Amino acid sequence: FHLPPLQSFLVQVSRRASHLARQQYDVIVVGGGHAGTEAAAAAARVGAETLLVTQKIHTIGALSCNPSLGGVGKGQLVKEVDALDGLCGRAGDWAGIHFSILNRRKGPAVWGPRAQLDRQLYREFIQSELLSTPRLTVLEGSVEELLVTEPDPEEPGHHRVTGICLANGSQPISASSVVLTTGTFLSGSLFMGQTSSPGGRIGDAPSSAGLSQTLRERLGLRIGRLRTGTPPRIVKDSVDLSLAELFPSDSTPTPFSFLNTHTRCKPEDQLPCHLTHTTPGVERVVMESLHLNCHIQEDAKGPRYCPSIESRVLRFPGRQHQVWLEPEGLTSDLLYPQGLSMTMPPDVQLRLIREIPAMHRAEIHTPGYGVQYDFVCPTQLSPALQVKNTQGLFLAGQINGTTGYEEAAAQGLWAGVNAARWALSLPAVMLSRTESYIGVLIDDLVSRGVTEPYRMFTSRAEFRTSLRPDNADLRLTLKGFEEVGCVSSLRHQEAVRVRDSLQDALEALQTLTVSTPTWRKKLPNIHISEAKNTIVTGMNMLQYNDVSFEIWPHCDLQKKEIERIQKEEKMSLPQDIDYFSLPVSLSQEVREILDRVRPSTLGAATRLQGITPAAIVHLLNYVLHGN
Ligand code: FAD
């Protein structure tokens, strides 16, 4: 693990920024959060001259809310971003201070690699990586306006992005493509108690109104409003951790990155988490203070899967709720109480946390708050994450209605790849649901849209037994190198080595044949249900012992299903199709859905809500035979 000192990063970044020679880039990425940093690094890896513009350089890679990475579904995304040579997996290994694999009692397909992070170390790693990325310049500034052309008369409704304007009034900067990753900042408002103020995150101004206006008025995009919130940060010394249950990290920490064999923080130095629960007193305080809590009364939809304590109490009255007390860093004096996101006034927040025995004398360092922000309805994007009616404009992260660092990072990487390919006149690349969680995420967003903040779960992936965290490199690294161009040769070589070793092992298992008594002698703990003295291959041995491997019959079935879907995915539906005059038998409702979403392939159409199997057959006939 090597890292240039942070100080040198800041000096070099400001030097680069002040000597900005060019006013023209291939790709400009707006925002240095989890989507923006992956987008900028990926675009540069693909070969584009890239500029990352963000409001504050020292907040690049900031963890706005929880100090953790991964988990069930989210861990799969981190592994896939890593397999495509992204940053967050290696950053997690650098900054992790408590590693655990969630769901270990279930099958490996649904294991969730997760780590608590040291906030400062995470930022430090991301910033250093960006600095050492060739073809990438970082500039501190606020983007005020997008530059877009008027629609081409030949292609009505189609704009083209040409660059950005900064709020400081400097010369516009041109680019062939722009990736917007404004997170919770687009027309952001912060809420605490009965007060609200403009902001994207505590201490940070919102994104300019000009940007929202361009998206809404110039480009005519449908924009919605979502909300989320964060808990108060608690002074560690004021908490009686002996009253909570201790959860140490795994004794052998599992790194996120396929390039790492160990984590930076040694097992003996890792910090524990603690679990405690809410009490009836917590519920009482929530109910008594609802009238003082304007965030909870707003219409904007909040995150169902990471709800505030107010929403939990209102939805499940009379229940105890878990509260995890998580370390914020190796040297941090603070604890993060996961499960206690809240937006009531600060004095009420203090009263509430003191209703929990382990926190009966706790002090709050920073109160919890809520944020509401604009998002762009993601059905207006192509599977390359490009805005359908604006050439060269890509969106990624929270702006697309998702929540979470991992979802943002995954989209950022893919938008960065495609923005670079667009700028370099290379064809767009897609990831299918059959090969990755990133493909599932993007397909869900662009085909189905969102009505509430979207987060990843293993249950969203139909092919999750094949899309395991442990095989993300085999699924994606080779493609990332050979077809996409975002993977270094070093990582590619490593993936080829792993693939070849696995292939050798499989062949050995298929050819190795031994009689059952010999197997029993060599491996006394194994289970063999065959009759005496049968000759059994190594492969049969794995089957008898229920070892999860892609060769099992259900995997064979899944493979066939994957092949079928891959065929459908390849059947593209023209984007300029007029569904209302299509001479096939489709109901008005189906035509409206197809017209609104404009699925790019038959596979994507199949997954739209309200599209009947009969409609798919008619579409298939149309694609194959034109009738
Ligand atoms: P962000 O990380 O928000 O980054 C956006 C970046 O864009 C920032 O660096 C900002 O400075 C920059 N920027 C914005 N506008 C401009 C502009 N015009 N010019 C230049 N730069 C600009 N996630 C969960 O999973 N669970 C939670 O419970 C949760 N709670 C949250 C609570 C709060 C209060 C906040 C703020 C966030 C919360 N999140 C939560 C969300 C999590 O932080 C995001 O999902 C994740 O950070 C999104 O990444 P992003 O890259 O899309 O945006």
Side-chain angles (χ1 to χ4, degrees), residues 30-36 53-56 59-60 62-66 74 141-144 181-186 190 200-202 204-208 211 228-230 303 306 336 341 369-371 396-399 402-409:
V30 181
H34 304 272
V53 187
T54 193
Q55 287 171 326
K56 292 179 184 169
T59 64
I60 287 179
L63 301 159
S64 307
C65 190
N66 48 325
K74 288 171 171 269
S142 189
V143 173
E144 177 78 14
T181 68
T182 49
T184 51
F185 289 67
L186 199 60
L190 305 184
R201 173 170 63 198
I202 205 149
D204 288 324
S207 205
S208 83
L211 210 48
T228 186
T230 196
C306 205
Y336 176 93
S341 159
Y369 65 96
V371 61
Q398 198 106 357
I399 192 175
T402 59
T403 175
Y405 311 133
E406 304 79 359
E407 289 81 353

Side-chain angles (χ1 to χ4, degrees), residues 504-516 518-519 522-523 534-542:
D504 290 349
L506 271 178
E507 276 165 24
L509 285 169
Q510 262 153 350
T511 49
L512 177 75
T513 49
V514 178
S515 71
T516 42
T518 316
W519 276 119
K522 285 185 187 298
L523 303 167
T534 318
I535 298 294
V536 172
T537 66
M539 203 71 114
N540 296 143
M541 286 301 305
L542 292 178

Side-chain angles (χ1 to χ4, degrees), residues 477-478 481 487-498:
T477 304
L478 306 179
F481 182 77
V487 167
S488 71
S489 52
L490 174 85
R491 187 183 283 269
H492 178 242
Q493 278 163 22
E494 177 56 16
V496 168
R497 187 191 66 72
V498 171

Side-chain angles (χ1 to χ4, degrees), residues 263-342:
T263 60
R264 176 171 170 269
C265 187
K266 295 190 191 116
E268 61 274 23
D269 295 336
Q270 305 217 354
L271 301 180
C273 293
H274 290 82
L275 176 63
T276 183
H277 292 89
T278 58
T279 58
V282 167
E283 184 164 335
R284 197 186 58 246
V285 176
V286 167
M287 296 312 288
E288 283 172 6
S289 62
L290 283 180
H291 63 292
L292 303 173
N293 196 337
C294 55
H295 187 64
I296 197 83
Q297 295 155 8
E298 295 276 333
D299 271 349
K301 273 271 170 74
R304 180 197 299 227
Y305 305 106
C306 205
S308 64
I309 187 63
E310 295 94 322
S311 322
R312 288 166 130 198
V313 163
L314 289 171
R315 280 181 65 197
F316 307 106
R319 280 217 206 148
Q320 260 198 342
H321 301 282
Q322 286 190 335
V323 177
W324 287 92
L325 299 171
E326 302 176 339
E328 288 246 327
L330 280 179
T331 55
S332 170
D333 301 330
L334 304 180
L335 286 177
Y336 176 93
Q338 196 213 109
L340 284 186
S341 159
M342 58 179 84

Side-chain angles (χ1 to χ4, degrees), residues 1 34 145 166 173 214 224-226 237 310 324 346 425 500:
F1 287 101
H34 304 272
E145 186 71 270
L166 293 173
I173 308 175
T214 307
R225 194 104 175 125
L226 292 174
D237 284 349
E310 295 94 322
W324 287 92
S425 304
D500 293 349

Side-chain angles (χ1 to χ4, degrees), residues 177 383-385 394 413-423 426-430:
S177 38
L385 294 176
F394 295 78
L413 184 144
W414 208 242
V417 158
N418 276 303
R421 292 180 67 89
W422 173 269
L426 296 168
V429 279
M430 317 290 168

